[in-house]
């Protein structure tokens, strides 16, 4: 295997990248080496002047997998309220936050934006409820994890490029003629990888349920991680990860306030705060109730923190200001702390890690807890999640029993080509994971009958 992977690559120009339409001085040029820009299957540029990462960004933006997220739950299920946030709007908001923060720190903004756009692309119908139900259904083939599914979609399931039919077999290459997904650059795939390890290989917590690659996708994972320290995210992925936290913690609270599920006055009650901080422990298990209290007090002391919400235009504008202030607060703190540690130069790949001050992380954790306690843990949401778990479980059962009947042509072909029962089950899980909330319900009604 050569230095850039199992395939020969066409070297990119070594001069700095051309200025992107969105880039601003002084970070208008973002040099990355040919290994970072390499693709699993080499491709010539269709139009001179575009960078490798501009091509990556365009591929993700135009993918069916990204569009599908418009029909996938974020907090409030699509079609259950006016203008709800979906996984797609969340991904776009995450991308905007990440692009600006990454550029300020010296990353290629198109690269960071690509990682942010792609980070949730493997999320199944019904949000985390669907993820948990699919993990149960997929135990016989290694389980299900949305981040590992993202890598699978980007490198295998989203049809864009195929390996040449006359490909010489090499140890890490895909089968000749098989799909290589969007065929993104190595750096783009790495930037979208939040958990760079397989199941059970978390660097500090082997029992963690979070991982970024299934066993049968390890060849391309090893290729994209060429030269990477074991278990360590690239810098662009750390920017993506924090941007994800910032986007959903602030916007989920905004949505909860606007929907009337969150009462700002309740957050001053000692009893409510005690329950809230129990939820916050899942996001910061090493923090004390006193630290959470200080974090919430610090937010409530800000002049832009809402004292109430009545749905008027002025109140809506106040919510928008709340999210803007929070995003600015969280991103600026991370930028300043990272610069304090690493200095003023451009930061990329494995030259640095994003530094987020503890106090800011705890503020973010408290906001996540607010959204969970007052929006996601409502009784009606619990009932809805129970029905959704049944839909996923019954779909998995009937599709596996009747396969390849009921599977889309892409997944029917994967089922028929499966080498063993694990691969056959994985093709069924892949099919379910590509559904939207609405299409999962429709397929369930057609194949199982009735409404769960």
């Amino acid at each position: 295997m050569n230095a850039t992977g199992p395939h020969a690559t066409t070297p990119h120009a070594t001069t700095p990248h051309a200025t992107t339409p969105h880039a601003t001085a002084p970070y208008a040029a973002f040099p990355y080496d040919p290994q970072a820009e390499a693709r699993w299957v080499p491709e010539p540029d269709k139009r001179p002047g575009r960078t490798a990462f501009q091509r990556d960004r365009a591929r993700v933006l135009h993918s069916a997998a990204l569009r599908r997220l418009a029909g996938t739950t974020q907090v409030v299920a699509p079609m259950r309220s006016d203008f709800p946030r979906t996984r797609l709007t969340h991904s776009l908001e995450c991308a905007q936050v990440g692009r600006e923060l990454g550029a300020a720190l010296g990353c290629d903004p198109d690269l960071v934006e690509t990682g942010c756009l792609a980070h949730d692309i493997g999320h199944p119908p019904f949000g985390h409820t669907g993820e948990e139900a699919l993990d149960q259904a997929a135990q016989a083939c290694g389980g299900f994890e949305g981040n590992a599914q993202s890598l699978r979609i980007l490198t295998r399931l989203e049809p864009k490029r195929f390996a040449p039919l006359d490909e010489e077999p090499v140890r890490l290459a895909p089968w000749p003629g098989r799909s290589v997904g969007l065929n993104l650059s190595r750096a783009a795939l790495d930037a979208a990888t939040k958990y760079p390890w397989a199941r059970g290989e978390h660097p500090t917590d082997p029992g963690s349920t979070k991982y970024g690659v299934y066993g049968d996708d390890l060849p391309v994972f090893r290729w994209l991680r060429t030269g990477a320290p074991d278990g360590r995210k690239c810098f662009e992925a750390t920017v993506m990860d924090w941007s994800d936290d910032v986007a959903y913690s602030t916007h989920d609270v905004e949505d909860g306030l606007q929907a009337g599920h969150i009462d700002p006055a309740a957050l001053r009650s000692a009893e409510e705060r005690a329950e809230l901080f129990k939820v916050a422990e899942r996001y910061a298990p090493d923090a004390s109730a006193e630290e959470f209290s200080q974090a919430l007090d610090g937010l409530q002391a800000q002049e832009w923190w809402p004292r109430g919400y009545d749905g008027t235009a002025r109140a809506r504008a106040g919510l928008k200001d709340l999210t803007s202030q929070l995003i600015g607060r969280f991103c600026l703190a991370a930028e300043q702390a990272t610069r304090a540690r690493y200095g003023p130069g451009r930061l990329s790949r494995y030259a640095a890690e994003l530094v987020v001050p503890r106090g800011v992380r705890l503020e973010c954790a408290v906001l996540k807890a607010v959204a969970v306690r007052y929006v996601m843990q409502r009784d009606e949401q619990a009932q809805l999640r129970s029905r959704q778990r049944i839909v996923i479980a019954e779909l998995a059962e009937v599709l596996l029993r009747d396969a390849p009947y009921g599977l889309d042509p892409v997944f029917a072909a994967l089922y028929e080509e499966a080498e063993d029962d694990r691969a056959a089950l994985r093709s069924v899980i892949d099919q379910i994971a590509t559904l939207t909330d609405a299409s999962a319900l429709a397929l369930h009604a057609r194949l199982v009958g009735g409404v769960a």
Side-chain angles (χ1 to χ4, degrees), residues 176-303:
R178 296 295 294 271
S179 170
V180 294
L182 293 178
N183 199 34
L184 301 181
S185 69
R186 173 184 276 116
L189 291 171
D190 208 11
T193 302
K194 183 179 289 192
Y195 305 113
W197 52 79
R199 188 174 189 174
E201 296 182 5
H202 189 289
T204 59
D205 181 13
S208 174
T209 59
K210 296 296 185 182
Y211 56 96
V213 58
Y214 301 128
D216 54 350
D217 294 323
L218 281 171
V220 72
F221 175 78
R222 292 177 181 133
W223 172 81
L224 75 91
R225 295 285 293 170
T226 300
D230 288 344
R232 179 179 162 189
K233 304 172 191 176
C234 68
F235 184 68
E236 292 82 0
T238 65
V239 174
M240 172 273 288
D241 197 4
W242 180 238
S243 300
D244 182 26
D245 281 355
V246 170
Y248 84 74
S249 65
T250 57
H251 292 129
D252 288 0
V253 168
E254 178 190 340
D255 285 353
L257 285 164
Q258 186 162 339
H261 302 313
I262 299 172
D263 177 8
L267 300 181
R268 298 187 179 278
S269 160
E271 293 78 9
E272 284 296 312
R273 288 165 74 101
E275 294 301 316
L276 179 67
F277 298 156
K278 291 178 183 177
V279 178
E281 288 176 358
R282 71 178 66 172
Y283 304 111
D286 62 337
S288 65
E290 182 179 357
E291 286 183 292
F292 287 132
S293 183
Q294 291 173 348
L296 182 55
D297 288 343
L299 292 173
Q300 290 176 318
Q302 303 302 316
E303 62 179 1

Side-chain angles (χ1 to χ4, degrees), residues 88-217:
L88 177 59
T89 58
H90 163 68
S91 296
L92 294 173
E93 289 163 338
C94 173
Q96 186 276 326
V97 173
R99 182 183 184 93
E100 292 194 7
L101 177 58
L105 291 167
C107 304
D108 185 300
D110 290 302
L111 175 57
V112 177
E113 184 174 358
T114 299
C116 291
L117 288 170
H119 84 282
D120 261 353
I121 212 164
H123 217 72
F126 310 135
H128 290 295
T129 299
E131 188 174 26
E132 292 165 1
L134 275 177
D135 185 46
Q136 287 296 315
Q139 285 301 301
C141 64
F144 179 90
E145 212 284 339
N147 295 278
Q149 193 71 17
S150 293
L151 179 64
R152 189 172 180 83
I153 287 171
L154 295 172
T155 61
R156 186 191 293 243
L157 298 180
E158 176 76 13
K160 170 70 175 177
R161 286 288 178 267
F162 283 72
L165 286 170
D166 60 351
E167 184 76 45
E168 287 295 325
V170 291
R171 186 170 59 89
L172 296 181
W175 294 291
R178 296 295 294 271
S179 170
V180 294
L182 293 178
N183 199 34
L184 301 181
S185 69
R186 173 184 276 116
L189 291 171
D190 208 11
T193 302
K194 183 179 289 192
Y195 305 113
W197 52 79
R199 188 174 189 174
E201 296 182 5
H202 189 289
T204 59
D205 181 13
S208 174
T209 59
K210 296 296 185 182
Y211 56 96
V213 58
Y214 301 128
D216 54 350
D217 294 323

